Every structure is written in C-alpha cells, then in structure tokens.
Amino acid sequence: MPQFDYDLFVIGGGSGGVRAGRVAASMGKRVAIAEEFRFGGTCVIRGCVPKKLLVYASQFPEHFEDAAGYGWSLGDAGFDWKTLIANKDREIARLEGIYRGGLERAGAQMIDDRAVLVDQNTVRIVGQDRTVTARHILVATGGRPSNHPALPGSEHAITSNEAFHLEELPKSIAIAGGGYIAVEFANIFHGLGVETTLIYRGKEILGRFDMDMRRGLHKAMEDKGIKILLHTIAHSVDKRQDGRLDIALSDDRTLTVDKLMLAVGRTPNTEGLGLEAAGVETGPVGEIIVDEYSRTSVDNIYAIGDVTNRVQLTPVAIHEAMCFIDTVYRDKPTTPDFDAIATAVFSQPEIGTVGLSEDDASDRFEELEIYRAEFRPMRHTLSGRQEKMIMKLVVDAASRRVLGAHILGVDAGEMAQLLGIAVKARLTKDDFDKTMAVHPTASEELVTMYQPSYRVKNGERVG
Ligand code: NDP
C-alpha cells in the first residue's frame, strides 16, 4: 500500500468541503483542506448568510409603515448602507472564524492557498509551489455567478459577489434573470429604496416553482413598485459619460440605470483545477461528472456541492458531504437523497415550498386534489397592508398523499422546513386533517382546508 501525506485532501473550504474535512478529521483521518479565498464558501461569505442579513435590513421600511396601524408613530427613519455592510462583514468574519475553529479542533490542516490536481493522488499547493499526496481527494470548489460574456458590455455589470460590497447604494438598478438570486436581490434593493427593474426572458419569474407562487409573488412585487419585464432580454450595455448604464432591451427600449446586476445562473469552478491531468471528466458547463456516490471518473477522487451542478443548495452540499463520509470512511455506501427538498426564496413576501408543483404533479399523477387558500394574514389587518398570503397543497387523489406544499407569505421559509418533514414522511391529507390547528396563526390554514378547491384530472382542471 503506497504511503500518502494525507488520507484526505479537500479542495475548497465551503459548506460541503468543510463538513467533509471536519468530520473525516474528527474520525482520526489525516486531513488537509485548501481554500484560496475565505473559509465558509459562497453560502457564508457571499451568498445565503449575507443575503439574509440584507433581506432583514430591507424589511424595516415595511415594518415602520405597518407600525402606524398598531398605534406607533415614528420619527423620520434614516438608513446608512455603509453601517449595514460593515456590520454584515463583521458577522461574516465571526462565522468564518467558527468554520476555521471547527476544522482546527477536529485536527484538519487548513491551507490558505489555491490547490490544483497534478494526478490521481497528487495536489499542488500553488502559492507555496509544493506538492502533497493523498489517498482520497474531494473537490468541493463550488461555483461563481455567470458573468454572461455573450452580453456585449457585460463588463459594466455586477453580480451578487459585488452587490455585497457596493461602495454606495445605487439610486436605480436593473437585475437580469428570474431565478432565486434575481428575485431576492430585487426585493432587497427595492426595500432599501432603490428603483428596481427585473428583466426576465421567460413568461413568469421563478421557473421551477408552482405557478400560484410565481404569479402571487410577481403581483406582490409589482404592487410594491418593483418593475418586472417579462419576455425581455438585455441585448447590450453601454456605459455613459456620467457613469450610468444604457441597457438596450429586446423590445427596442433603452433602460438607463445606475447599476446592472447579472443573476443568470452560476458556473462550476473547475477551470485550471488540473482535472484533465488527473483524468476527472467534466460536463457541458464545466461541472464535474459524478456517479450516485459523488465519485468522479477517477475512483479515489470525489466531488460534492455546486461544482457538480446537481442541486445548488447549501444543505444539499452538506448532505452530500455526509454521504461521502459514510461511503468512504464508514463502510456504508450512501447515495444522496434529492427527493422532496424543502426550499425558500427570501423574497418579500417569502416563498416556502417542498415537493411537486401542481404542473409537475399533474404530469406524473392521474388525478390531483388541489387545496388552495388565499387570504390577508391577521398581522396585515390593523396595518392596512393589502398583501395576500397563498397556501396550497397538492394531493394525489388516489393515495391521498400530499405531494407538494407551497406557501407565499410571511415566514413561509420557516414553515417550509416543518412541512418538509411531513412531505418527506409521505403523510396523507388525512394526517393533515387529523392535526389540531395552532390558533391564531397563518399556518393553521394548512390543516383546515377540508374541501379541495379544485381537481386536476389527466392534466385538466375539472372544477
Ligand atoms: P437560477 O438557475 O435560479 O436562475 C437563473 C436565471 O437566469 C433563470 O431565470 C434563467 O432563465 C436566467 N438566465 C439564464 N441564462 C440566461 C441568459 N443567457 N439570458 C437571460 N437570462 C438567463 O440561478 P440563480 O443565479 O438565481 O441562482 C443559482 C442557484 O443558487 C439557484 O439555482 C439556487 O439553487 C441557489 N440559490 C438558492 C437560494 C435559496 O435557497 N434561497 C438563494 C440564491 C441562490 P430561465 O428560467 O429561462 O432558464
């Protein structure tokens, strides 16, 4: 048996890589983990966590407005972007410290440098210009926002990476894309007082979600004052003398804004990683191709998280890391389970969802019962806010199993986590009906919708 410097070398210190490295080290494996930027990865450093902090910040103007109906009168509210960003950065640094501390306590060696593959068992630490060997290598290098090179003038645009560090808040912004990031940032910027336009090429925002959620959120966003241009593409971007941007749109109009943010998907970080030298195969967008155990085309090299372009979500990367540990170190080959992943869009209002949309369910099941409620939540009564909440259960008529649960409204993300358990456990509508309501809450609606709002048979709505 050849001797290696390490049992495991992890390339990439994001959610997936850190989890795998930490757990392997705590099991007594000799682990090194290399990170060229900051430990914590996209989620902690320039993704989920800072995004959620900005979401909280952007919700205050609505809280201030709502307060009046509850008897509060407030003075003029002021907002300072620089304070928010500095406080956010402090929190991110604290979290990065926790990630590092966890690795250190577990006994993993952290390498603050870029690492690339040389061959099946050898990694080069680029900045230190030395090589090390490892029995197993785990690639968890994540992805980055696509900078859309096909768009002439795209070099004038920012992505979510830069949005977290803008020197000042722009007066106006256009955001290209209709996915999670575009929608979340449109709400953040609008909430902070920026004139915001979303430019989306499709027929409705948030392609993979239930249509009621998509339409409901679209309406809520427009009611707040966010402009949404559907069936529209940015054709080119020109920078004017005054620094503003002219965006030529596919409908022949020109949109002039202070900033353009691209949120048109993310690209796996695989360039220059030495994958070819090691014999690791990649797919059409540069993603590492893996089998159901996250094993690459080279049997001792594994890949997890966004670099594999499977499901780009932090909890999924962490789950894949734990499956890797089970497979490689616990003699318990385990495949990640991607079924019924609960997820949230931190828009305003939020979307929380798990399982099949009505459209996807009607493709797979002969007859569905759809339970749908649309109402103004109690908290909006005294505030006078007109925003509606939508709750929807998609049920297989034959087995009564709840196939999908979808919520638009306050705290929908929190609800999705709990609904995720029910849908994952394949509970039926009868189980929901037997569950006592928690009163008065918005979520009690989920267990008190006794009659289907309508049925869907062979893809057709039937009353
Ligand atoms: P998404 O895949 O969600 O959305 C990309 C959007 O860009 C789609 O609307 C797509 O349109 C559009 N698009 C793609 N290519 C072009 C193009 N050439 N021209 C115009 N529009 C284009 O990616 P995001 O970047 O929003 O997010 C990346 C991933 O990060 C998500 O898939 C999600 O898994 C994760 N994420 C999760 C969050 C959460 O859990 N809350 C928050 C943020 C990100 P079309 O629909 O027509 O393909």
Side-chain angles (χ1 to χ4, degrees):
M1 210 54 182
Q3 281 301 306
F4 299 105
D5 298 324
Y6 298 102
D7 297 314
L8 175 65
F9 195 102
V10 183
I11 307 181
S15 302
V18 167
R19 173 60 67 94
R22 181 166 60 72
V23 176
S26 69
M27 294 170 73
K29 304 294 169 194
R30 295 168 304 142
V31 176
I33 174 166
E35 167 57 53
E36 64 179 333
F37 183 52
R38 292 176 67 182
F39 279 88
T42 299
C43 176
V44 174
I45 307 297
R46 44 194 180 188
C48 326
V49 174
K51 178 275 308 287
K52 188 94 187 263
L53 296 174
L54 298 197
V55 169
Y56 284 136
S58 67
Q59 287 172 337
F60 280 95
E62 286 196 357
H63 294 330
F64 298 151
E65 279 172 27
D66 292 352
Y70 286 93
W72 291 91
S73 50
L74 303 167
D76 278 348
F79 170 70
D80 184 46
W81 170 254
K82 285 194 163 66
T83 302
L84 170 63
I85 295 304
N87 291 346
K88 178 265 294 176
D89 286 344
R90 199 169 322 115
E91 173 60 9
I92 299 312
R94 187 183 74 83
L95 293 174
E96 187 186 1
I98 290 174
Y99 268 66
R100 296 183 80 101
L103 285 165
E104 201 173 321
R105 276 191 300 280
Q109 186 189 342
M110 277 170 280
I111 300 173
D112 290 273
D113 203 339
R114 180 170 173 79
V116 299
L117 295 164
V118 176
D119 63 32
Q120 172 165 10
N121 293 107
T122 312
V123 173
R124 189 161 73 87
I125 319 291
V126 176
Q128 303 171 11
D129 199 19
R130 65 183 175 100
T131 56
V132 296
T133 58
R135 166 84 185 86
H136 285 102
I137 295 170
L138 180 67
V139 184
T141 48
R144 62 182 185 284
S146 160
N147 53 13
H148 203 356
L151 172 69
S154 61
E155 67 275 14
H156 303 307
I158 61 167
T159 67
S160 54
N161 281 355
E162 294 75 38
F164 290 118
H165 294 285
L166 290 174
E167 279 295 309
E168 55 188 37
L169 203 54
K171 288 203 169 48
S172 59
I173 193 163
I175 302 179
Y180 281 83
I181 296 178
V183 165
E184 291 181 340
F185 271 92
N187 283 277
I188 289 169
F189 281 117
H190 170 78
L192 295 176
V194 181
E195 195 184 308
T196 304
T197 307
L198 194 70
I199 305 168
Y200 178 48
R201 65 182 178 181
K203 67 172 181 184
E204 187 54 278
I205 56 172
L206 291 174
R208 287 167 296 215
F209 288 77
D210 185 90
M211 196 46 103
D212 273 306
M213 302 293 109
R214 300 167 67 186
R215 290 202 192 105
L217 178 61
H218 182 145
K219 179 176 182 319
M221 286 170 64
E222 280 196 333
D223 289 348
K224 287 180 204 292
I226 299 171
K227 290 194 202 79
I228 301 179
L229 310 178
L230 297 178
H231 301 294
T232 307
I233 293 174
H235 271 172
S236 64
V237 187
D238 283 307
K239 192 161 191 169
R240 298 157 35 130
Q241 295 257 307
D242 63 4
R244 305 186 79 207
L245 304 175
D246 282 335
I247 307 170
L249 301 174
S250 50
D251 61 7
D252 292 335
R253 281 187 297 162
T254 299
L255 181 65
T256 303
V257 289
D258 291 337
K259 293 273 181 223
L260 167 65
M261 176 173 149
L262 300 172
V264 293
R266 295 177 59 84
T267 310
N269 282 329
T270 48
E271 289 92 352
L273 209 54
L275 296 173
E276 230 169 84
V280 175
E281 281 173 23
T282 54
V285 294
E287 78 278 16
I288 295 182
I289 296 171
V290 289
D291 69 9
E292 69 268 41
Y293 296 101
S294 302
R295 193 194 324 250
T296 70
S297 49
V298 179
D299 67 0
N300 69 312
I301 302 181
Y302 288 71
I304 55 169
D306 287 3
V307 75
T308 63
N309 202 26
R310 287 177 285 184
V311 183
Q312 297 175 350
L313 294 171
T314 300
V316 172
I318 292 172
H319 171 64
E320 288 166 0
M322 295 309 290
C323 293
F324 163 79
I325 292 285
D326 281 346
T327 302
V328 175
Y329 295 125
R330 292 192 177 127
D331 202 17
K332 204 171 64 177
T334 307
T335 57
D337 176 2
F338 300 119
D339 186 45
I341 298 170
T343 177
V345 182
F346 293 101
S347 44
Q348 298 165 43
E350 284 176 15
I351 291 177
T353 180
V354 57
L356 298 179
S357 66
E358 179 182 327
D359 287 346
D360 285 346
S362 71
D363 285 345
R364 297 197 215 168
F365 292 83
E366 195 180 321
E367 187 173 347
L368 303 175
E369 291 176 359
I370 306 295
Y371 297 80
R372 185 188 186 285
E374 183 166 350
F375 58 95
R376 193 148 74 111
M378 191 175 179
R379 74 145 68 185
H380 291 340
T381 51
L382 297 198
S383 73
R385 189 167 293 285
Q386 295 302 311
E387 202 168 278
K388 295 277 183 56
M389 208 155 176
I390 301 177
M391 295 198 179
K392 182 170 175 182
L393 296 178
V394 177
V395 176
D396 171 29
S399 66
R400 306 276 297 144
R401 183 154 73 89
V402 177
L403 304 170
H406 311 281
I407 303 171
L408 174 74
V410 178
D411 294 334
E414 302 288 341
M415 291 182 225
Q417 181 64 83
L418 303 177
L419 274 174
I421 302 170
V423 172
K424 190 78 191 162
R426 304 169 78 87
L427 297 188
T428 64
K429 181 64 172 59
D430 304 316
D431 296 314
F432 277 58
D433 293 344
K434 278 187 283 191
T435 303
M436 199 70 78
V438 179
H439 185 71
T441 61
S443 52
E444 68 185 296
E445 207 69 31
L446 291 164
V447 295
T448 54
M449 294 189 284
Y450 297 116
Q451 291 301 322
S453 309
Y454 56 93
R455 287 166 189 276
V456 177
K457 209 166 180 181
N458 300 317
E460 297 289 326
R461 184 169 164 162
V462 287

